[in-house]
Amino acid sequence: MIHAIFGRRYTFSAAHRLHSDQLSVEENRLAYGKCNNPHGHGHNYVLEVQCAGEVDAETGMVINLATLDEIVHRTVISRFDHTNLNLDPLFEKAVPTTENLTIAVFELLEPEILKTGCKLAKLRIEETENNFFEYSR
Ligand code: NI
């Protein structure tokens, strides 16, 4: 069996405010700086999904691109695009840092991708030109 990784990029835009209820006003300001500003700010996130699996002998593919697109749009893009992440139930208790967003997106996608026979090998979210976060297990 030949294994390979297929990766694909997606984009979505969302707002967030980095603020922890566990911290004081001053501690929040120290921890998050201007990312703690009360009215939040937005990012154009770039999501990179890497699927690992066997190269199908007949199709020559690891995963059908259209299948992956459908999964990512249904579970991630439609949920987060043009929203305020702080208002999503996933971030009711967790601060919507991109670390936490990356893990949350991984957990949403993993079971859906497993149904196709592939594994979610790695997930990466770019928050800005200079910041990116990766998660795998
Ligand atoms: Ni931010």
Side-chain angles (χ1 to χ4, degrees):
M1 295 293 181
I2 300 167
H3 281 76
I5 287 178
F6 172 74
R8 190 156 163 83
R9 312 187 107 203
Y10 302 87
T11 56
F12 62 95
S13 304
H16 70 172
R17 179 195 181 202
L18 302 186
H19 178 87
S20 170
D21 293 333
Q22 320 291 323
L23 303 175
S24 70
V25 170
E26 184 55 23
E27 286 168 332
N28 267 297
R29 215 161 50 82
L30 279 171
Y32 301 119
K34 61 184 181 179
C35 296
N36 184 242
N37 284 350
H39 299 298
H41 61 276
H43 292 287
N44 296 315
Y45 294 101
V46 179
L47 165 67
E48 196 177 286
V49 179
Q50 291 190 27
C51 299
E54 283 167 17
V55 177
D56 185 273
E58 274 163 21
T59 65
M61 299 192 296
V62 169
I63 185 171
N64 188 299
L65 177 152
T67 305
L68 182 62
D69 284 357
E70 188 279 319
I71 291 171
V72 174
H73 280 95
R74 174 167 45 85
T75 59
V76 179
I77 309 294
S78 66
R79 178 169 186 151
F80 296 123
D81 191 33
H82 288 71
T83 69
N84 179 343
L85 297 177
N86 295 70
L87 300 180
D88 190 287
L90 284 171
F91 300 110
E92 208 173 279
K93 299 218 168 77
V95 182
T97 59
T98 305
E99 288 90 328
N100 283 336
L101 178 63
T102 303
I103 295 165
V105 169
F106 191 100
E107 283 170 357
L108 289 171
L109 280 178
E110 187 181 45
E112 297 300 314
I113 288 173
L114 275 174
K115 285 182 198 164
T116 71
C118 280
K119 280 186 187 165
L120 178 52
K122 194 199 270 184
L123 198 133
R124 170 184 164 110
I125 296 182
E126 291 176 11
E127 183 187 54
T128 69
E129 251 176 36
N130 302 315
N131 293 358
F132 61 88
F133 303 85
E134 294 187 339
Y135 185 67
S136 59
R137 26 178 188 228

